[in-house]
Amino acid sequence: MASTALKHMGPGNRANNIAASTNGCFALAANLNAPSDPVQRPGTPSGKASTGLKVPAATGPPVWKVLVLDQQTKDVLATVLRVQDLRDVGVTLHVQLHSLRPPLPDVPAIYFVAPTLDNVRRIAEDLDKCLYESFHLNFVGPLPRALLEELAASVASAGTGELVEQVLDQYLSFIAPSPSLFSLLSPLPPTMPSSQAGPSQAQAVTSYTLLNSPSSTEQQIEEEIERISSGLFSAVVTMGHVPIIRAPKGNAAEMIAKKLDIKIRDAILSASRTHGATASLFAQDASGLSNLQRPLLLILDRNVDLVSMISHGWTYQALVSDCLEIKLNRVVVTQPQKRSYDLDSKDFFWAKNAPNPFPQVAEEIDTELNKYKQDAAEITRSTGVSDVNDISQIDLSSNASHLKTAITQLPELTARKAVLDTHMNIATALLEQIKKRGLDELFSTEEAVNKQTVASVLETLRAPRPSSTFTPEDKLRLVLVFYLSSPDNAISKDDIAELEKELKEAGADTAAFEYVRRTREISRMSVAPTVVGTSTPVLGAGQGELFRGFTAFGNRLTDRLKEGGLDNLISGVKNFLPANKLLPVTRLTEALMDSSAASNQSLQETDDYIFLDPRASRHTGLGISGGPGGPGGGTLGTGRAKRLAFSEGMVFIVGGAGYVEYGNLEEWAAKTGKRVTYGGTEIIDPGAFVKILQDLGNSTA
């Protein structure tokens, strides 16, 4: 047995669609790892990336198979595949590794699991019992040599080696909720089998907590740095090209960047020593594009900008993350009754509107509903039935051609209606939360935070509101945004005491405020100011285009749900667009990808970042400082000389990613024509991040 690596991305099909990469890799594994036309191998020409599953070309009768997963790999596939997608590649049954499973001795099995000791021992037990006809073992990350040897010893002692067809490292230890967004897999408790580890246990300690808590041991921090660099290595391998790595100096991001640089160097060296005997992890090694179209990998520490993690968003995806529960692309709405909705890759409305401001989304729902109504009316008119659901009542003798048309169009129309119903319900729940919590006023205040004073913030917190009430947590978030957006020492101790008193009277836990203040005082942590094009929200007039969209949306909701009061609900929500500004992470990304458009302040910051090129020799590429006189400066010279232009890039946040930041980066990428993938150790909603700050505040008090 040998542990090798599978690659599936050609040089033209990468970076901007990490979810499609996961799809392609699984399709290849589900085809029992036989090459097939739709799944690109390294160095082969490839077309446009798709978010759908690449189904291997049929070369014979279908091979029905069993898919064996653990909790981690179940999460990997949950955001990119549906049950129908599994059936399309011949998977008729998917089961948990650590569950009681009946033997199926005439069916091959595909194992897609994490490389852990518990999993390897369970696989050895399955082999000993001869549960399946053959075993195709796919590990989500590299299988350590010690575990590979244990598996080999177990197989040799049981004499079941002929059942093992392949042992493969898939390098997919991340979750991709959307084509350009990903997070690393959460670590499982080391003493607990993966089947017993629930979501709450797997996420008990976040990376931000572990890396910032004074109670964390040096060993814990080193293990977390290793885990993050390994997970990020999987994402880089999946993209298929060796990046240029940049990171600020003096924090966890620098440590991870240097570890990742070593991992990529070792992979390149290992492939070169085999002289083509094994597939290279990086596509350009086979295509000859080693030094062309290199992407950027920017690794940043979460402390570079805390504001975007706790501010109130106004885009569809940011509001869903803030107001509702979303995990693995499943949105849970609790009112009026608890229901869940899956936002999968075939959800055309989510793909188009997730980054848009909510008023625009409301208008889009109204537009799509009208379009659906017109298409349904056309079918009913041509077939002569009164309702699209009564197609079965058509007179077959006189309407054969119309029936054929209706049957062809009906599945697509039904799917569209289901998607629109989903977003109608989600939008309704969001509207209720916006009105109840006054999120429009909070967002408007935070957008103009640079114009706020302590007095104006206190007035906002104390002002009575007839139709909405700020929650204690929302008040805390507003104060945190105001404090972090203010220059150092701009707020006096008396003003801080007054703000803290107001928060305590509102019932808020001020531990997060105390932690942020203490951290800033110790490290002089100040959030770099945003580059603002319009300093205030763009308020829409009463008869503005988006306001009309809101009104139409309200009428549609009222008509459909036959409920009163929604018009009043919508009319009370202020209608405005977000200010035209770059958040700090976007601003730093711009400075590194397109220096000609960046501000001098951004360039001065990024010039001092370390510069790592895994393809360069170690003495000229490792740990190069951005400024003149840095260690190992070599031929690359000063930071100004290293201002390169990139068309593609990946931005990774150590300590957690958020939808507000993601949306801002996406918007910039769309305007500039860049292709950017955004990821983090976790994707954290604002409420959860405030809780993390509170826990840190309480632990360091």
Side-chain angles (χ1 to χ4, degrees), residues 323-371:
C323 302
L324 307 175
E325 178 186 339
I326 179 171
K327 183 181 180 183
L328 301 176
N329 283 359
R330 172 163 291 182
V331 177
V332 177
V333 176
T334 57
Q335 298 295 335
Q337 59 183 6
K338 188 171 183 178
R339 294 191 63 181
S340 61
Y341 304 94
D342 291 321
L343 307 177
D344 58 37
S345 60
K346 292 182 171 58
D347 190 326
F348 70 94
F349 191 88
W350 179 255
K352 178 182 178 182
N353 292 286
N356 292 337
F358 190 65
Q360 185 176 331
V361 174
E363 186 180 58
E364 281 293 319
I365 290 181
D366 187 61
T367 301
E368 290 291 342
L369 283 170
N370 285 332
K371 184 180 178 182

Short mmCIF file of all heavy atoms in Angstrom, two decimals, residues 323-371:
data_model
loop_
_atom_site.label_atom_id
_atom_site.label_comp_id
_atom_site.label_asym_id
_atom_site.label_seq_id
_atom_site.Cartn_x
_atom_site.Cartn_y
_atom_site.Cartn_z
N CYS A 323 -28.75 37.19 12.38
CA CYS A 323 -30.11 37.07 12.94
C CYS A 323 -30.59 35.63 13.05
O CYS A 323 -31.45 35.33 13.89
CB CYS A 323 -31.11 37.86 12.09
SG CYS A 323 -30.71 39.61 11.94
N LEU A 324 -30.12 34.77 12.17
CA LEU A 324 -30.59 33.39 12.14
C LEU A 324 -29.41 32.45 12.41
O LEU A 324 -28.27 32.88 12.49
CB LEU A 324 -31.23 33.07 10.79
CG LEU A 324 -32.32 34.03 10.32
CD1 LEU A 324 -32.78 33.67 8.91
CD2 LEU A 324 -33.50 34.03 11.28
N GLU A 325 -29.70 31.20 12.53
CA GLU A 325 -28.64 30.20 12.72
C GLU A 325 -28.31 29.59 11.37
O GLU A 325 -29.18 29.06 10.68
CB GLU A 325 -29.12 29.10 13.68
CG GLU A 325 -28.10 27.99 13.89
CD GLU A 325 -28.64 26.84 14.71
OE1 GLU A 325 -29.63 27.06 15.45
OE2 GLU A 325 -28.09 25.73 14.62
N ILE A 326 -27.05 29.68 10.96
CA ILE A 326 -26.61 29.07 9.70
C ILE A 326 -25.35 28.26 9.95
O ILE A 326 -24.38 28.76 10.53
CB ILE A 326 -26.38 30.14 8.60
CG1 ILE A 326 -25.90 29.46 7.30
CG2 ILE A 326 -25.42 31.21 9.06
CD1 ILE A 326 -25.86 30.39 6.11
N LYS A 327 -25.41 27.01 9.56
CA LYS A 327 -24.27 26.12 9.68
C LYS A 327 -24.29 25.12 8.55
O LYS A 327 -25.33 24.52 8.25
CB LYS A 327 -24.30 25.38 11.04
CG LYS A 327 -23.08 24.48 11.24
CD LYS A 327 -23.13 23.75 12.56
CE LYS A 327 -21.91 22.85 12.72
NZ LYS A 327 -21.95 22.06 13.97
N LEU A 328 -23.17 24.98 7.89
CA LEU A 328 -23.05 24.08 6.75
C LEU A 328 -24.14 24.35 5.72
O LEU A 328 -24.76 23.44 5.16
CB LEU A 328 -23.10 22.61 7.22
CG LEU A 328 -22.03 22.18 8.21
CD1 LEU A 328 -22.24 20.75 8.66
CD2 LEU A 328 -20.63 22.34 7.60
N ASN A 329 -24.39 25.64 5.49
CA ASN A 329 -25.38 26.10 4.51
C ASN A 329 -26.82 25.73 4.86
O ASN A 329 -27.70 25.77 3.99
CB ASN A 329 -25.05 25.59 3.10
CG ASN A 329 -23.92 26.39 2.47
OD1 ASN A 329 -23.40 27.33 3.06
ND2 ASN A 329 -23.53 26.02 1.27
N ARG A 330 -27.07 25.36 6.09
CA ARG A 330 -28.44 25.10 6.54
C ARG A 330 -28.87 26.25 7.46
O ARG A 330 -28.26 26.50 8.49
CB ARG A 330 -28.54 23.77 7.27
CG ARG A 330 -29.90 23.52 7.92
CD ARG A 330 -30.09 22.07 8.27
NE ARG A 330 -30.24 21.25 7.09
CZ ARG A 330 -30.45 19.94 7.09
NH1 ARG A 330 -30.52 19.28 8.25
NH2 ARG A 330 -30.58 19.26 5.97
N VAL A 331 -29.93 26.94 7.04
CA VAL A 331 -30.45 28.08 7.79
C VAL A 331 -31.65 27.62 8.62
O VAL A 331 -32.55 26.96 8.10
CB VAL A 331 -30.89 29.22 6.84
CG1 VAL A 331 -31.49 30.38 7.63
CG2 VAL A 331 -29.70 29.70 6.02
N VAL A 332 -31.64 27.97 9.90
CA VAL A 332 -32.73 27.59 10.80
C VAL A 332 -33.52 28.84 11.16
O VAL A 332 -32.97 29.82 11.66
CB VAL A 332 -32.19 26.92 12.08
CG1 VAL A 332 -33.34 26.58 13.03
CG2 VAL A 332 -31.42 25.66 11.72
N VAL A 333 -34.83 28.81 10.88
CA VAL A 333 -35.75 29.87 11.25
C VAL A 333 -36.61 29.36 12.39
O VAL A 333 -37.22 28.29 12.28
CB VAL A 333 -36.63 30.29 10.05
CG1 VAL A 333 -37.65 31.33 10.46
CG2 VAL A 333 -35.76 30.82 8.92
N THR A 334 -36.66 30.08 13.49
CA THR A 334 -37.37 29.59 14.68
C THR A 334 -38.79 30.15 14.82
O THR A 334 -39.59 29.59 15.55
CB THR A 334 -36.58 29.95 15.96
OG1 THR A 334 -36.38 31.37 15.99
CG2 THR A 334 -35.23 29.24 15.96
N GLN A 335 -39.09 31.27 14.14
CA GLN A 335 -40.42 31.87 14.26
C GLN A 335 -41.10 31.91 12.90
O GLN A 335 -40.45 32.18 11.89
CB GLN A 335 -40.30 33.30 14.82
CG GLN A 335 -39.72 33.39 16.21
CD GLN A 335 -40.59 32.74 17.25
OE1 GLN A 335 -41.80 32.63 17.07
NE2 GLN A 335 -40.01 32.32 18.36
N PRO A 336 -42.40 31.65 12.81
CA PRO A 336 -43.31 31.30 13.91
C PRO A 336 -43.16 29.86 14.38
O PRO A 336 -43.60 29.50 15.44
CB PRO A 336 -44.69 31.53 13.27
CG PRO A 336 -44.46 31.28 11.81
CD PRO A 336 -43.09 31.77 11.50
N GLN A 337 -42.54 29.01 13.55
CA GLN A 337 -42.22 27.65 13.97
C GLN A 337 -40.84 27.31 13.43
O GLN A 337 -40.37 27.89 12.46
CB GLN A 337 -43.26 26.66 13.43
CG GLN A 337 -43.37 26.64 11.91
CD GLN A 337 -44.45 25.70 11.43
OE1 GLN A 337 -45.20 25.14 12.22
NE2 GLN A 337 -44.55 25.50 10.12
N LYS A 338 -40.18 26.38 14.09
CA LYS A 338 -38.81 26.06 13.71
C LYS A 338 -38.78 25.27 12.41
O LYS A 338 -39.41 24.22 12.29
CB LYS A 338 -38.13 25.25 14.83
CG LYS A 338 -36.64 25.03 14.60
CD LYS A 338 -35.97 24.41 15.81
CE LYS A 338 -34.48 24.28 15.60
NZ LYS A 338 -33.78 23.73 16.78
N ARG A 339 -38.07 25.83 11.43
CA ARG A 339 -37.90 25.17 10.14
C ARG A 339 -36.48 25.40 9.66
O ARG A 339 -35.85 26.41 9.99
CB ARG A 339 -38.89 25.72 9.11
CG ARG A 339 -40.35 25.43 9.42
CD ARG A 339 -41.23 25.75 8.23
NE ARG A 339 -40.92 24.92 7.09
CZ ARG A 339 -41.54 25.02 5.90
NH1 ARG A 339 -42.47 25.94 5.72
NH2 ARG A 339 -41.21 24.23 4.91
N SER A 340 -35.97 24.47 8.88
CA SER A 340 -34.62 24.61 8.34
C SER A 340 -34.66 24.60 6.82
O SER A 340 -35.52 23.94 6.21
CB SER A 340 -33.71 23.48 8.84
OG SER A 340 -34.20 22.22 8.43
N TYR A 341 -33.74 25.32 6.22
CA TYR A 341 -33.68 25.45 4.76
C TYR A 341 -32.23 25.25 4.33
O TYR A 341 -31.31 25.82 4.91
CB TYR A 341 -34.17 26.82 4.31
CG TYR A 341 -35.57 27.16 4.78
CD1 TYR A 341 -35.77 27.90 5.94
CD2 TYR A 341 -36.69 26.76 4.06
CE1 TYR A 341 -37.04 28.22 6.38
CE2 TYR A 341 -37.97 27.07 4.49
CZ TYR A 341 -38.14 27.80 5.64
OH TYR A 341 -39.40 28.11 6.08
N ASP A 342 -32.03 24.46 3.27
CA ASP A 342 -30.69 24.21 2.75
C ASP A 342 -30.41 25.13 1.57
O ASP A 342 -31.18 25.19 0.62
CB ASP A 342 -30.54 22.75 2.30
CG ASP A 342 -30.56 21.79 3.47
OD1 ASP A 342 -29.96 22.13 4.50
OD2 ASP A 342 -31.17 20.71 3.36
N LEU A 343 -29.30 25.86 1.66
CA LEU A 343 -28.87 26.75 0.58
C LEU A 343 -27.75 26.06 -0.17
O LEU A 343 -26.57 26.30 0.09
CB LEU A 343 -28.41 28.09 1.16
CG LEU A 343 -29.39 28.79 2.11
CD1 LEU A 343 -28.77 30.07 2.66
CD2 LEU A 343 -30.69 29.10 1.39
N ASP A 344 -28.10 25.17 -1.11
CA ASP A 344 -27.08 24.38 -1.78
C ASP A 344 -26.58 25.08 -3.05
O ASP A 344 -26.97 26.20 -3.38
CB ASP A 344 -27.59 22.97 -2.10
CG ASP A 344 -28.85 23.00 -2.97
OD1 ASP A 344 -28.94 23.88 -3.85
OD2 ASP A 344 -29.74 22.16 -2.77
N SER A 345 -25.71 24.37 -3.77
CA SER A 345 -25.07 24.97 -4.94
C SER A 345 -26.05 25.25 -6.07
O SER A 345 -25.75 26.03 -6.96
CB SER A 345 -23.96 24.03 -5.45
OG SER A 345 -24.51 22.77 -5.81
N LYS A 346 -27.22 24.64 -6.04
CA LYS A 346 -28.20 24.86 -7.10
C LYS A 346 -29.20 25.96 -6.73
O LYS A 346 -30.16 26.18 -7.46
CB LYS A 346 -28.94 23.55 -7.41
CG LYS A 346 -28.05 22.51 -8.06
CD LYS A 346 -28.83 21.25 -8.39
CE LYS A 346 -27.99 20.30 -9.23
NZ LYS A 346 -26.74 19.90 -8.61
N ASP A 347 -28.98 26.62 -5.62
CA ASP A 347 -29.85 27.72 -5.21
C ASP A 347 -29.43 28.98 -5.96
O ASP A 347 -28.52 29.71 -5.54
CB ASP A 347 -29.74 27.94 -3.70
CG ASP A 347 -30.79 28.90 -3.16
OD1 ASP A 347 -31.14 29.85 -3.88
OD2 ASP A 347 -31.23 28.72 -2.01
N PHE A 348 -30.08 29.23 -7.09
CA PHE A 348 -29.69 30.34 -7.95
C PHE A 348 -29.87 31.69 -7.25
O PHE A 348 -29.10 32.63 -7.48
CB PHE A 348 -30.50 30.32 -9.25
CG PHE A 348 -31.96 30.66 -9.08
CD1 PHE A 348 -32.41 31.96 -9.25
CD2 PHE A 348 -32.89 29.68 -8.73
CE1 PHE A 348 -33.75 32.28 -9.09
CE2 PHE A 348 -34.23 29.99 -8.55
CZ PHE A 348 -34.66 31.30 -8.73
N PHE A 349 -30.88 31.80 -6.40
CA PHE A 349 -31.17 33.09 -5.78
C PHE A 349 -30.10 33.45 -4.75
O PHE A 349 -29.63 34.58 -4.69
CB PHE A 349 -32.54 33.05 -5.11
CG PHE A 349 -33.03 34.41 -4.69
CD1 PHE A 349 -33.73 35.22 -5.57
CD2 PHE A 349 -32.77 34.89 -3.41
CE1 PHE A 349 -34.16 36.48 -5.19
CE2 PHE A 349 -33.19 36.15 -3.02
CZ PHE A 349 -33.89 36.95 -3.92
N TRP A 350 -29.68 32.48 -3.95
CA TRP A 350 -28.63 32.72 -2.94
C TRP A 350 -27.31 33.04 -3.63
O TRP A 350 -26.58 33.95 -3.20
CB TRP A 350 -28.49 31.51 -2.04
CG TRP A 350 -27.44 31.63 -0.98
CD1 TRP A 350 -26.21 31.02 -0.96
CD2 TRP A 350 -27.49 32.40 0.23
NE1 TRP A 350 -25.51 31.36 0.17
CE2 TRP A 350 -26.28 32.20 0.93
CE3 TRP A 350 -28.46 33.24 0.80
CZ2 TRP A 350 -26.00 32.81 2.15
CZ3 TRP A 350 -28.18 33.84 2.02
CH2 TRP A 350 -26.97 33.62 2.68
N ALA A 351 -26.98 32.30 -4.68
CA ALA A 351 -25.72 32.54 -5.39
C ALA A 351 -25.66 33.95 -5.95
O ALA A 351 -24.60 34.59 -5.95
CB ALA A 351 -25.57 31.52 -6.52
N LYS A 352 -26.80 34.47 -6.39
CA LYS A 352 -26.83 35.80 -7.01
C LYS A 352 -26.95 36.91 -5.99
O LYS A 352 -26.36 37.99 -6.16
CB LYS A 352 -28.00 35.87 -8.01
CG LYS A 352 -28.17 37.22 -8.68
CD LYS A 352 -29.36 37.21 -9.61
CE LYS A 352 -29.58 38.57 -10.27
NZ LYS A 352 -30.78 38.58 -11.14
N ASN A 353 -27.69 36.70 -4.91
CA ASN A 353 -28.08 37.80 -4.03
C ASN A 353 -27.46 37.79 -2.65
O ASN A 353 -27.66 38.74 -1.89
CB ASN A 353 -29.61 37.82 -3.88
CG ASN A 353 -30.29 38.21 -5.17
OD1 ASN A 353 -30.29 39.35 -5.58
ND2 ASN A 353 -30.89 37.21 -5.84
N ALA A 354 -26.72 36.75 -2.27
CA ALA A 354 -26.15 36.70 -0.92
C ALA A 354 -25.34 37.93 -0.56
O ALA A 354 -25.47 38.44 0.56
CB ALA A 354 -25.31 35.42 -0.76
N PRO A 355 -24.51 38.48 -1.46
CA PRO A 355 -23.71 39.65 -1.06
C PRO A 355 -24.41 40.99 -1.25
O PRO A 355 -23.81 42.03 -0.99
CB PRO A 355 -22.49 39.54 -1.99
CG PRO A 355 -23.00 38.89 -3.22
CD PRO A 355 -24.10 37.96 -2.78
N ASN A 356 -25.67 40.98 -1.69
CA ASN A 356 -26.36 42.24 -1.99
C ASN A 356 -27.00 42.84 -0.74
O ASN A 356 -27.38 42.13 0.18
CB ASN A 356 -27.44 42.00 -3.04
CG ASN A 356 -26.85 41.66 -4.40
OD1 ASN A 356 -25.71 41.98 -4.69
ND2 ASN A 356 -27.63 40.99 -5.24
N PRO A 357 -27.16 44.17 -0.71
CA PRO A 357 -27.89 44.81 0.39
C PRO A 357 -29.31 44.28 0.47
O PRO A 357 -29.93 43.96 -0.56
CB PRO A 357 -27.87 46.30 0.01
CG PRO A 357 -26.70 46.45 -0.91
CD PRO A 357 -26.62 45.16 -1.66
N PHE A 358 -29.83 44.20 1.68
CA PHE A 358 -31.13 43.55 1.87
C PHE A 358 -32.28 44.20 1.10
O PHE A 358 -33.13 43.49 0.56
CB PHE A 358 -31.45 43.48 3.36
CG PHE A 358 -32.65 42.63 3.66
CD1 PHE A 358 -32.63 41.28 3.42
CD2 PHE A 358 -33.82 43.19 4.17
CE1 PHE A 358 -33.73 40.48 3.68
CE2 PHE A 358 -34.92 42.41 4.44
CZ PHE A 358 -34.88 41.05 4.19
N PRO A 359 -32.36 45.54 1.02
CA PRO A 359 -33.44 46.12 0.21
C PRO A 359 -33.40 45.66 -1.25
O PRO A 359 -34.44 45.44 -1.86
CB PRO A 359 -33.20 47.63 0.33
CG PRO A 359 -32.46 47.80 1.61
CD PRO A 359 -31.58 46.59 1.72
N GLN A 360 -32.20 45.50 -1.79
CA GLN A 360 -32.07 45.02 -3.16
C GLN A 360 -32.53 43.57 -3.27
O GLN A 360 -33.14 43.18 -4.27
CB GLN A 360 -30.61 45.15 -3.61
CG GLN A 360 -30.36 44.80 -5.06
CD GLN A 360 -28.92 45.04 -5.45
OE1 GLN A 360 -28.25 45.91 -4.89
NE2 GLN A 360 -28.42 44.27 -6.39
N VAL A 361 -32.26 42.78 -2.25
CA VAL A 361 -32.71 41.39 -2.23
C VAL A 361 -34.24 41.33 -2.22
O VAL A 361 -34.86 40.51 -2.90
CB VAL A 361 -32.14 40.65 -1.01
CG1 VAL A 361 -32.72 39.25 -0.89
CG2 VAL A 361 -30.62 40.59 -1.10
N ALA A 362 -34.86 42.23 -1.44
CA ALA A 362 -36.32 42.28 -1.40
C ALA A 362 -36.89 42.55 -2.78
O ALA A 362 -37.88 41.92 -3.20
CB ALA A 362 -36.76 43.37 -0.42
N GLU A 363 -36.27 43.46 -3.51
CA GLU A 363 -36.74 43.76 -4.85
C GLU A 363 -36.54 42.56 -5.78
O GLU A 363 -37.39 42.28 -6.63
CB GLU A 363 -35.99 44.98 -5.39
CG GLU A 363 -36.51 45.47 -6.73
CD GLU A 363 -35.74 46.67 -7.23
OE1 GLU A 363 -34.51 46.55 -7.39
OE2 GLU A 363 -36.36 47.72 -7.44
N GLU A 364 -35.41 41.87 -5.63
CA GLU A 364 -35.14 40.70 -6.47
C GLU A 364 -36.16 39.59 -6.24
O GLU A 364 -36.56 38.90 -7.18
CB GLU A 364 -33.72 40.19 -6.20
CG GLU A 364 -32.63 40.98 -6.87
CD GLU A 364 -32.67 40.86 -8.38
OE1 GLU A 364 -32.91 39.75 -8.88
OE2 GLU A 364 -32.49 41.88 -9.06
N ILE A 365 -36.55 39.39 -4.99
CA ILE A 365 -37.57 38.38 -4.72
C ILE A 365 -38.86 38.73 -5.44
O ILE A 365 -39.52 37.88 -6.05
CB ILE A 365 -37.81 38.24 -3.20
CG1 ILE A 365 -36.61 37.60 -2.52
CG2 ILE A 365 -39.06 37.41 -2.92
CD1 ILE A 365 -36.77 37.41 -1.02
N ASP A 366 -39.23 39.99 -5.38
CA ASP A 366 -40.46 40.44 -6.06
C ASP A 366 -40.34 40.22 -7.56
O ASP A 366 -41.29 39.76 -8.21
CB ASP A 366 -40.70 41.91 -5.74
CG ASP A 366 -42.03 42.40 -6.26
OD1 ASP A 366 -43.07 41.85 -5.84
OD2 ASP A 366 -42.03 43.32 -7.10
N THR A 367 -39.18 40.54 -8.13
CA THR A 367 -38.97 40.36 -9.57
C THR A 367 -39.06 38.89 -9.96
O THR A 367 -39.71 38.53 -10.95
CB THR A 367 -37.59 40.92 -9.96
OG1 THR A 367 -37.53 42.31 -9.63
CG2 THR A 367 -37.34 40.75 -11.45
N GLU A 368 -38.41 38.04 -9.18
CA GLU A 368 -38.42 36.60 -9.50
C GLU A 368 -39.82 36.00 -9.33
O GLU A 368 -40.22 35.12 -10.11
CB GLU A 368 -37.42 35.87 -8.61
CG GLU A 368 -35.96 36.17 -8.92
CD GLU A 368 -35.52 35.59 -10.26
OE1 GLU A 368 -36.21 34.70 -10.79
OE2 GLU A 368 -34.50 36.05 -10.78
N LEU A 369 -40.55 36.47 -8.34
CA LEU A 369 -41.92 35.98 -8.16
C LEU A 369 -42.80 36.37 -9.34
O LEU A 369 -43.63 35.58 -9.81
CB LEU A 369 -42.50 36.52 -6.85
CG LEU A 369 -42.02 35.83 -5.57
CD1 LEU A 369 -42.47 36.60 -4.34
CD2 LEU A 369 -42.53 34.39 -5.51
N ASN A 370 -42.65 37.60 -9.82
CA ASN A 370 -43.42 38.02 -10.99
C ASN A 370 -43.05 37.21 -12.22
O ASN A 370 -43.92 36.84 -13.02
CB ASN A 370 -43.18 39.51 -11.26
CG ASN A 370 -43.90 40.40 -10.26
OD1 ASN A 370 -44.94 40.03 -9.72
ND2 ASN A 370 -43.34 41.58 -10.01
N LYS A 371 -41.76 36.94 -12.37
CA LYS A 371 -41.31 36.13 -13.50
C LYS A 371 -41.87 34.71 -13.42
O LYS A 371 -42.32 34.15 -14.42
CB LYS A 371 -39.77 36.09 -13.52
CG LYS A 371 -39.19 35.36 -14.71
CD LYS A 371 -37.67 35.38 -14.66
CE LYS A 371 -37.07 34.60 -15.83
NZ LYS A 371 -35.59 34.57 -15.76
#
